[in-house]
Every structure is written in C-alpha cells, then in structure tokens.
C-alpha cells in the first residue's frame, strides 16, 4: 500500500464538530516506507495488529463500523490493540499483546486518548489527533497533503497548504511565518514552482545584507556610484525579473532600507544606486520571518505599511514538535537525501527518541542529526548512540 488517507462518508457518528485521525507515522525497521492516515469520523472501532502486508480493511458488524489496520512488524501481536469510540471520545485498549502498548512513553492497558497522543505498539508508532472538522466529500486520497516538496499528514497544516496552492498561481504576495528550520524556503520554492513564472527563484537573506550596501545589493548600482563600485551591479530585485524574489528573514531588514523596498513594491519599478531613471520590474514576492512583524512595527523597528504590502497571504508553518505524525515522512525523505541504503533500519530506542524529542531547531536539526547518524552507523542499524546526546533524554 502507498501513502493512503481512507475517508468514510460522514454519518451521524461524524457529527461531533471534531475530526479524529489516526496516522501510522513510523515503523523503526522500515523507516523508508510510507505512512498511512485514517479518518475516523464515521468509524466505531479500529483494530491494530501484525499482518503480512500493509492493509486497511473496513467492515460493519451489527451496525458497528470497524477498521482493521495491519502491517509487518515482528514485535507486534496479530491482535495488538484497539481504539473504541465511547460517547464521542476515543479509548485505547491493549489486547493482551505479547510486548505491550505504550501511550506517550508509558506502558498502558486502557486509557482515553487526547489530541497528539503517541501510541507505541511493537516497533511502530501511531499518532492520534482530534482536530476541528470541516465538511468534506467521501473520498479515498492517495498520499499525504502535498505542495511541491512540502508534505504532511497533519490535518490543520494540510488545510493551510491547500490555501497556499490556491494562492501560488496569482500575484498575491506571500508571507511565511515560522520558527527557524521549519521549511520557509521549501515553501517559497513551492510557490515559485506553482506560479508558472519562467524567471529565476532569487533568495535573499535580509539579515546577511551589509547595512551600508543594502540598497546596492537589492536594487543594483551604476559603476562609480560609491567607493568600491568598480562595475555595474544588476541587484537582486532585477535578477528576479519574471521570477520570484524570496526575502528571507525580512524582519531583519535594516530600517533605513525599508522605504526604498516599499516604493519598489508599490510602483513596481527600481532605481539602481547612482542612476536617475527608474526601471520597470516584474517579479513574484515571497517573504519569510521568524519575528513578529506587528510587534516590531509597534516598536517602530519595522514599517507597518511595508508589513501590509508583504502580507497579502500569510502562512504559518508549524514547528516539528507540533506535527509528530509527519516525522516518518521527514525521516524517509532526509535519509534518502543523505544517501541511506535500502533497506535502512532504526533501532527501536532511536526511533522512540526521534519521536519524543522536541526539535527546537525543527526540520533543519532533524536533517543534521540523521545525516550524522547515518555516517556514524556505517551501514549498521541507526542506534541511540549514533544520535545527538540530547535525544537520549527524550525517551
């Protein structure tokens, strides 16, 4: 089975205002295999156990709608656990499995599930979510929600990605907000890919621009315009003509340069330093920041009118700690990017540590941890000893 979302037609059972979702996020012995997401709005019981292959089977017994989720995991029992809807809530029951079930790291026989619950059975990990519901047709969808290289099983983030995909082909400026390492440049490139623009994707780290040369870097300059200007410079804005200009860490843009950028965005023309004539420019604007631009504006450190120009559509990228169901997707992608052999394995303690770590630096931190672990493991299963020491405390 490939990545799958199984959705049942909404009936009386689904009318709770909440959407229960169960995601098989990661199997430690098969980290490159895709996950599976189940929509439980119209389901009464979910049975989980070991199977010869990945399979989701639906049935109805005496009016009770059931799902059976199974996959290969030698540490699971054939009937390992079940989830039962009880008065609108969900309860986990271990079915006397050989190796037991853990809920949020602790052994459990029976317990109510809350949003974000991490369920450990055998060498596999499931994430339970209860999120605000929205009307949706009964469909079977292949794959997680995806825009470009961004993919997610996290339902609220998936809804935001759908909105981003709708905005991408337009000229509406996009402002991406999120902590360091959440993937703002990946999102910006996804917008560029869907924009249909033939020009280049030009990324600018506003925090790295020399304060004395910001305008020359952005808008270009004529030869001799200032000391050291021994050649004409195109500038990053003109380099993005017919393409996308990505202003990363735009909250770090020096205040003196902000009026000039605002004028470029308003007039769609640029005056290189030392020039007397404006040049028309056509580019798509995407910006990103980990700062609160409204708060910076209240402190008069960022222009409110520039903020308004940047924020035609705002997307907040959630931190990795808020989307545990996506960890398997990311592990598979990052291990593949790092050249992991197939098959590659994670020792169970290592997989548990990956899922329980808070990842303060988000996907960037996960990427570096996995690349280093893969090298240290030397072709053997990745163990806890191959991961950064701070992950040991998360078990």
């Amino acid at each position: 089975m490939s990545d799958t979302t199984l959705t049942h037609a909404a009936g009386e059972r689904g009318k709770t205002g909440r959407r229960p979702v169960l995601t098989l996020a990661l199997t430690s012995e098969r980290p490159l295999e895709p996950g599976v997401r189940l929509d439980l709005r119209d389901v009464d019981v979910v049975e989980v156990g070991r199977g010869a292959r990945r399979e989701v089977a639906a049935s109805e017994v005496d009016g009770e709608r059931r799902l059976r989720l199974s996959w290969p995991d030698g540490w699971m029992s054939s009937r390992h656990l079940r989830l039962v809807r009880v008065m609108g809530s969900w309860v986990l029951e271990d079915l006397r499995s050989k190796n037991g079930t853990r809920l949020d790291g602790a052994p459990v026989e029976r317990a109510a599930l809350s949003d974000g619950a991490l369920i450990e059975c055998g060498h596999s990990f499931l994430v339970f979510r209860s999120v605000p519901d929205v009307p949706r047709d009964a469909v079977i969808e292949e794959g997680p929600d995806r825009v470009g290289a961004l993919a997610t099983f996290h339902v609220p983030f998936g809804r935001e990605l759908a909105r981003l995909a709708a905005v991408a082909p337009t000229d509406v400026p996009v402002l991406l907000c999120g902590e360091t390492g959440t993937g703002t440049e990946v999102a910006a490139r996804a917008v560029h890919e869907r924009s249909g623009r033939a020009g280049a994707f030009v990324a600018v780290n506003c925090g790295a621009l020399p304060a004395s040369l910001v305008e020359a870097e952005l808008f270009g300059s004529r030869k001799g315009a200032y000391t050291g200007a021994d050649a004409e410079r195109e500038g990053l804005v003109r380099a993005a003509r017919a393409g996308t200009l990505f202003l990363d860490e735009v909250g770090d843009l020096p205040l003196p340069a902000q009026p000039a950028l605002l004028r470029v965005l308003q007039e769609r023309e640029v005056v290189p330093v030392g020039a007397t004539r404006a040049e028309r420019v056509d580019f798509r604007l995407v910006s990103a920041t980990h700062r609160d631009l409204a708060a910076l504006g209240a402190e008069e450190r960022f222009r409110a009118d520039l903020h308004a120009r940047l924020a035609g559509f705002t997307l907040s990228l959630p931190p990795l700690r808020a989307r545990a169901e996506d960890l398997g997707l990311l592990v598979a992608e990052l291990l593949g990017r790092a050249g992991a052999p197939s098959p590659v394995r994670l020792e169970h303690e290592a997989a548990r540590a990956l899922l329980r770590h808070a990842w303060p630096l988000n996907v960037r931190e996960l990427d570096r941890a996995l690349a280093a672990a893969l090298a240290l493991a030397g072709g053997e299963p990745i163990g806890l000893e191959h991961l950064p020491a701070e992950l040991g405390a998360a078990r």
Side-chain angles (χ1 to χ4, degrees), residues 114-130:
S114 58
D115 179 48
L118 178 63
I119 303 166
E120 184 178 336
C121 48
H123 281 188
S124 302
F125 299 86
L126 300 147
V127 177
F128 175 83
R129 291 286 184 190
S130 178

Side-chain angles (χ1 to χ4, degrees), residues 26-34 54 71-74 123 343-346:
L26 179 66
T27 298
S28 59
E29 296 181 359
R30 295 177 176 84
L32 300 184
E33 289 190 0
R54 181 80 63 80
W71 66 93
D73 182 335
H123 281 188
V344 62
R345 290 178 52 213
L346 298 171

Side-chain angles (χ1 to χ4, degrees), residues 1 4 6 8 36 38 53-58 67-70:
M1 178 182 291
T4 304
L6 180 62
H8 296 270
V36 56
L38 307 179
R53 61 184 182 278
R54 181 80 63 80
E55 186 175 22
V56 179
L67 288 181
R68 162 79 180 177
L69 172 61
S70 58

Side-chain angles (χ1 to χ4, degrees), residues 166-175 191 194-197 242-244 265 268 282-286 309-313:
V167 168
T170 73
D171 289 329
V172 174
V174 173
L175 178 62
V191 171
R194 284 179 169 252
S195 70
R197 288 180 165 266
T244 299
L265 300 181
R268 288 291 164 170
D282 172 34
F283 59 88
R284 174 63 180 277
L285 179 67
V286 181
R309 280 282 172 180
L310 299 175
F313 171 79

